[in-house]
Amino acid sequence: MTERKPRPDYSGEFDPDFRFEDLSRDALVRLVREYALIVHLLDRSGMTAVGLRYGQAAVEEIAIEEWKGASPIYTDRIREIMRIEGDGVSAIFKCLQLDPGFAFSYMDVEYELVDERHGYFQLRSCGALLDVEPFGERSVTGMCHTIEDGTFDVTAQAVNPKARIRPVHRPPRNPAGRVPHCRWEVVIDDDTDTLPEADITRMTRGTTAARHRFPAMRDGTPHIPG
């Protein structure tokens, strides 16, 4: 088989046998950045459609269920392919660094690891907040309080069932224009209530997307490292 030279982009002729592994590292980085942002575009379009027809309360309810259904599953998949070991705060932060919900630059996230049972993260800038602020405090509170209170622990407990995430401060911004936009504390405590797996998570686990296994790459490299 003729060795393929890494593509810096996809200019030139159409290749019916194109695969992601044909791209150079730099091209893949650009593509991954765009894919992470596309997650937000999909969410904006879907939640906007829900809001226009059924109102803000429905947006919040569906957004929480959406996150509960997907986050524990894609977190497990990311841990597997990236070989993220352990169940401490550093493992939680690694997963957040790779989470498509924290799209690089669109979500400008900073992390502070105190120890394996304690840490902080903050968003110097949150693109999602900047999207909803023009719609008023009700929309901001719905996203930054109702939705995040219903979902952040689900994401953390996908790594450690005794983890919790609580706000140090969060929007509505006071004073106006406050930076960082929000700051959160992550604690692993044996007294934390362990959340049961939600029905939507169990249903999502049964989907073909959740169970899909990628084949080896063109050169035989397995998708999941040994």
Side-chain angles (χ1 to χ4, degrees):
M1 183 176 64
T2 304
E3 183 176 352
R4 289 177 170 239
K5 182 179 179 181
R7 288 177 174 266
D9 51 44
Y10 198 3
S11 59
E13 296 181 0
F14 167 69
D15 180 358
D17 199 31
F18 172 84
R19 296 184 186 178
F20 288 145
E21 55 260 42
D22 296 334
L23 295 172
S24 68
R25 175 189 176 278
D26 289 347
L28 284 169
V29 169
R30 291 195 297 270
L31 191 59
V32 166
R33 285 177 166 183
E34 292 292 334
Y35 279 175
L37 187 62
I38 287 167
V39 170
H40 288 271
L41 290 170
L42 288 168
D43 187 71
R44 292 295 176 279
S45 62
M47 291 299 103
T48 299
V50 170
L52 288 172
R53 179 165 295 189
Y54 300 109
Q56 177 68 22
V59 169
E60 293 160 9
E61 179 183 354
I62 291 174
I64 291 170
E65 290 297 293
E66 176 189 48
W67 196 331
K68 283 181 178 179
S71 178
I73 296 168
Y74 71 62
T75 297
D76 285 346
R77 291 179 66 99
I78 288 171
R79 278 167 63 84
E80 186 177 31
I81 64 169
M82 290 288 102
R83 301 182 67 179
I84 298 175
E85 300 174 344
D87 61 359
V89 173
S90 65
I92 293 172
F93 282 173
K94 286 181 180 181
C95 291
L96 291 179
Q97 286 176 316
L98 298 174
D99 194 304
F102 274 174
F104 174 76
S105 180
Y106 182 71
M107 302 291 206
D108 186 4
V109 191
E110 300 174 330
Y111 299 89
E112 178 188 342
L113 179 66
V114 177
D115 56 45
E116 286 298 340
R117 297 178 69 85
H118 190 201
Y120 299 88
F121 68 90
Q122 62 185 25
L123 276 74
R124 289 200 58 79
S125 179
C126 174
L129 173 66
L130 297 176
D131 271 341
V132 302
E133 276 186 328
F135 296 99
E137 188 170 309
R138 173 67 181 88
S139 294
V140 171
T141 302
M143 182 179 73
C144 300
H145 292 246
T146 306
I147 294 173
E148 288 177 351
D149 286 349
T151 54
F152 265 176
D153 282 357
V154 173
T155 297
Q157 291 192 9
V159 178
N160 188 310
K162 292 298 183 179
R164 65 175 184 264
I165 300 177
R166 296 293 180 269
V168 177
H169 69 80
R170 57 179 165 178
R173 289 194 275 174
N174 186 17
R178 181 176 189 171
V179 175
H181 290 176
C182 61
R183 181 172 172 84
W184 301 83
E185 183 178 30
V186 182
V187 174
I188 295 175
D189 189 323
D190 292 339
D191 292 332
T192 298
D193 291 335
T194 300
L195 299 173
E197 184 168 80
D199 290 343
I200 188 65
T201 311
R202 284 194 293 274
M203 293 176 67
T204 306
R205 287 193 190 280
T207 63
T208 55
R211 293 184 283 109
H212 183 76
R213 287 306 198 195
F214 287 100
M217 299 180 196
R218 197 189 299 276
D219 65 358
T221 302
H223 179 73
I224 298 173

